[in-house]
Amino acid sequence: MTSASARVVSRAARFSRLNTLWPWLCAASVALSLLMLGALLTLLLVRGLGHFWPATLEEVTLSSGETFAGHAVREVPLPQQEGDERLYFTGNQDIEGARWRWVAIEQIVERAQPTDLIRIDRSPWGDFIGHLVAIEQGDQRWAGDAAWQQLTALLALPASQRQAGQLLLTTVDGQTLRQPLANVASAQAPNTMAWRQKTYAWGEGVWRFLSEGPRAANTHGGVWPAIFGTVLMVILMSVIVTPFGVLAAIYLNEIAHQGRLTRLVRIGVRNLAGVPSIVYGVFGLGVFVYGIGGSLDEWFFSDTLPSPTFGTGGLLWASLTLALLTLPVVIVATEEGLARIPEAQREGAVALGATRLEMLTRIVLPMAAPAMLTGVILAVARAAGEVAPLMLVGVAKLAPQMPIDGEFPYLHLERKFMHLGYHLFDTAFHGEDVQAAIPLVYATALLLVLIVLMLNITAIFLRHYLSRQRGNEC
Amino acid sequence: MTPPRLTSARQPLRLLQDRVATGLITAGGVGVLLAILAIGIFLVWEALPLLAIGDTLALAKLSPLAWGTLKAALAALLFAIPVALGAAIYSALFMSPRLRTRIKPALEMMEAVPGVVVGFIAGLILAPWVERHLTSALVLIIWLPLSAGLAGLLWQLAKTRLRRRLPLSWAGLWLVPWLVFMVAIALWLAPWFEQQWLGGDLRHLLDQRFGIDYATRNAMIVGIAMGFAVIPSIYSLAEDALADVPASLIEGAQALGASRWQALWKVALTAAGPGIFSAVMIGAGRAVGETMIVLMASGNTALFSASPFEGMRSMAAAIAIELPEASPGGQTYHLLILAALVLFIFTFLVNTLAEVVRQRLRRRYRQMGGIS
């Protein structure tokens, strides 16, 4: 009897000992989530920003006597053997046919960092890594150190003021190349750069990334058209979604009879926020592009017809689709704001003789304004990160024309546009040289995440401010 | 102060303005609601022509996609549910309130990370890494929960002073470096483990012994990546449900002699059960409809395979890939629209169910007097 009860007690004790571990598993899942989020952001930050730091160039001599120049990217273990191999970015695609080179580490005899190794960013073939021999401009010729000084002086000028000329370049293994000056975007001699110069070059690189268009199949240059397209699309979308979302919220909360039907409609609207974005894309394609766009083409643009004007994806359709997608977000946020306004405020206004319109515009809407703003910001954040519906209704890999230009009517709603998220997807998965594009993909991803996080944080602070303000009043 | 007296001539104008504005708002509101309704009507209308074609073709085309969608969603939920619910339980019931006000928005920030970015990391960074270090990845999946338990055991054996320094209520934060340390240990030991027990190459072993192919982009990768995207939505709703459980219930259970964990497990979790259910439902809806992550991390091969090491093609990804090329009015077009309709109906039903359950739960809490 006693031994049996003792056994029960000891089992219970052991059980409770085990039970005390459960909270730790739960705590670990919080820690794991934080760790994953932190790892993701750190990875994006380090790789996205690190790409613009001028990498030290090496001249590598192999045991076979071959030499090449480049910068080391990473090392992995050799398959099926002992030892590691290292990936070098070597540039010079026009001379060597490839920009990358794997070498087994044990084959490397010597690694030097000569100060006269330079890296030139050219437009058709990407990077050149090697030595600068001379510059020829007309009959003038500079060689040696003077050539490098002349080159930096020339590149400091705006592209339109540079005189035509040629660079005489040699690779490390002695092949020579004549490079027209007009195609050179920038030049660096990273091995001689001091820390401050590198920081300066880094800032310049970041700026070029933000302000230039993509070059060389998205492996070089920047994302300016994509930023522009994203911002323009999001602005158009918020212009459409704000009035309609607010109207619908006011109708649901202030005018509609608060019965069973309104409750059902409210649940329905709330649920639309959970409908996959691709479904909205399908709707946009079927109704906006093929339906409305097709009819518009038949009526107004029949002279160009086999090639569609509005009957294909474009800026307008993308904005409309995303406006529909974010409508529930705005409605829900505005309704929350409206519901939080004390009934006494409305009754007071009406008791003083205000009509419903006056009560709404003078009392209710100003009080609900921060909530509306929160809703719009959340909508913008959602729209900026959304890619799937855009693939159906209007983004392009490389838009030939910007959607805003000097031609009448200035804003071209039918044009395709570039989008940061789609640019990321396209560069990462459909590029010719994914290896070379990945650093820029990291930078694009970082930019996108920063924009979206910033918008969300603004919305959180607004909401926080709002609830505190409300707390003071009640 | 007396209000300025309005001239009687303006009175009808004001009333007229009010009428017109009310009418406009009503028209606008109803119009917006109709536009939203139009989505469903359009999808049904465009999927109707399929009835004329006959259903064998539709079935043959859609069933691998449906399977792929379910497989991806299951993989994601398998990873997301334990982590999200664990995090919700901890942060609602154990975490210090001061930390909670910081951690909760931080975790909800995870939801804001765009799907393309997660998909890019999963498809181009994580997938090749896991392919090269399959053993390390699998060891990590087993090792991390064990190391959390180990932390708990060590904590109980530790001195009181250390315990007070590192309380359970802050464990969500100080376990982060511990986990980093444990990850490092696991990565360091995994090659040795593979050498000793698995004959040096796990993928080779899988292939030889069990005939399992390994695709670079597979269900496991999709599960981890999409799990990451789904965790915050499940966490946020489940945490709300748990935090709203009336404190009197838990206190009552403890007064009757239940231990803290018993009170939480038997009382709080049971009371919040419907809320947790609706959180999981919403997470499932999100996992089924997520497009970019599956598109980028799954390899997009329409296969019927239950292996976690093989890819799949989900309905959403198929729509994104094939619909721009499908000619409007053609068979593929209608089939893809049917797929979109299925997604729409599924997520709508799941979300409605979740919402109804949640509202009922809220009413129950109010009856218990928990919510003011």
Side-chain angles (χ1 to χ4, degrees), chain B residues 12 24 82-83 124 140-141 146 164 266 300 317 330:
Chain B
L24 276 179
V83 176
L124 283 186
L140 264 185
I141 291 175
L146 288 182
R164 208 165 293 152
K266 298 264 166 64
N300 289 313

Coordinates of all heavy atoms in Angstrom, one line a residue, chain B residues 12 24 82-83 124 140-141 146 164 266 300 317 330:
Chain B
P12 N -33.1 74.7 -45.6 CA -33.4 73.6 -46.6 C -32.1 73.2 -47.3 O -31.9 72.0 -47.6 CB -34.4 74.3 -47.6 CG -34.9 75.4 -46.9 CD -33.8 75.9 -45.9
L24 N -24.8 59.7 -51.4 CA -23.5 59.4 -52.0 C -22.7 58.4 -51.2 O -22.1 57.5 -51.8 CB -22.7 60.7 -52.2 CG -23.0 61.6 -53.4 CD1 -22.2 62.8 -53.4 CD2 -22.8 60.8 -54.7
P82 N 4.0 24.5 -34.1 CA 4.6 24.4 -32.8 C 5.3 25.7 -32.4 O 5.2 26.1 -31.2 CB 5.6 23.3 -33.0 CG 5.3 22.6 -34.2 CD 4.5 23.5 -35.0
V83 N 6.1 26.3 -33.3 CA 6.8 27.5 -32.9 C 5.9 28.6 -32.6 O 6.0 29.3 -31.5 CB 7.7 27.9 -34.1 CG1 8.5 29.2 -33.8 CG2 8.8 26.8 -34.4
L124 N 17.5 30.7 -53.1 CA 18.9 30.8 -53.6 C 19.9 30.7 -52.5 O 21.1 30.5 -52.9 CB 19.0 32.2 -54.3 CG 18.4 32.2 -55.7 CD1 18.7 33.6 -56.3 CD2 18.9 31.1 -56.5
L140 N 20.1 20.0 -36.8 CA 19.7 21.2 -36.2 C 18.2 21.1 -35.8 O 17.8 21.5 -34.7 CB 19.8 22.4 -37.2 CG 21.0 23.2 -37.1 CD1 21.0 24.4 -38.1 CD2 21.2 23.8 -35.7
I141 N 17.4 20.5 -36.7 CA 15.9 20.5 -36.4 C 15.7 19.6 -35.2 O 14.8 19.9 -34.4 CB 15.2 19.9 -37.7 CG1 15.3 20.9 -38.8 CG2 13.8 19.5 -37.3 CD1 14.7 20.3 -40.1
L146 N 15.9 20.0 -28.2 CA 16.6 19.4 -27.1 C 17.4 20.4 -26.3 O 17.4 20.4 -25.1 CB 17.5 18.3 -27.7 CG 16.8 17.1 -28.2 CD1 17.9 16.1 -28.7 CD2 16.0 16.5 -27.1
R164 N 18.1 34.2 -10.5 CA 17.4 35.5 -10.4 C 17.9 36.4 -11.4 O 17.2 37.3 -11.9 CB 17.7 36.1 -9.0 CG 16.6 37.0 -8.5 CD 16.6 37.3 -7.0 NE 16.3 36.1 -6.2 CZ 16.8 36.0 -5.0 NH1 17.6 36.9 -4.5 NH2 16.5 34.9 -4.3
K266 N -4.4 22.8 -18.6 CA -5.7 22.3 -18.5 C -6.8 23.4 -18.6 O -7.9 23.2 -19.0 CB -5.9 21.5 -17.2 CG -5.0 20.4 -17.0 CD -5.7 19.1 -17.4 CE -4.7 17.9 -17.6 NZ -4.0 17.5 -16.4
N300 N 8.8 24.0 -58.6 CA 7.6 24.0 -59.5 C 7.5 22.8 -60.4 O 7.1 22.9 -61.5 CB 7.7 25.3 -60.4 CG 7.4 26.5 -59.6 OD1 6.5 26.6 -58.8 ND2 8.3 27.5 -59.7
A317 N 1.2 29.1 -57.5 CA 2.4 29.3 -58.3 C 2.0 29.0 -59.8 O 2.5 29.7 -60.7 CB 3.5 28.4 -57.8
G330 N -9.3 30.4 -73.6 CA -8.8 29.0 -73.9 C -9.0 28.1 -72.7 O -9.5 28.5 -71.6

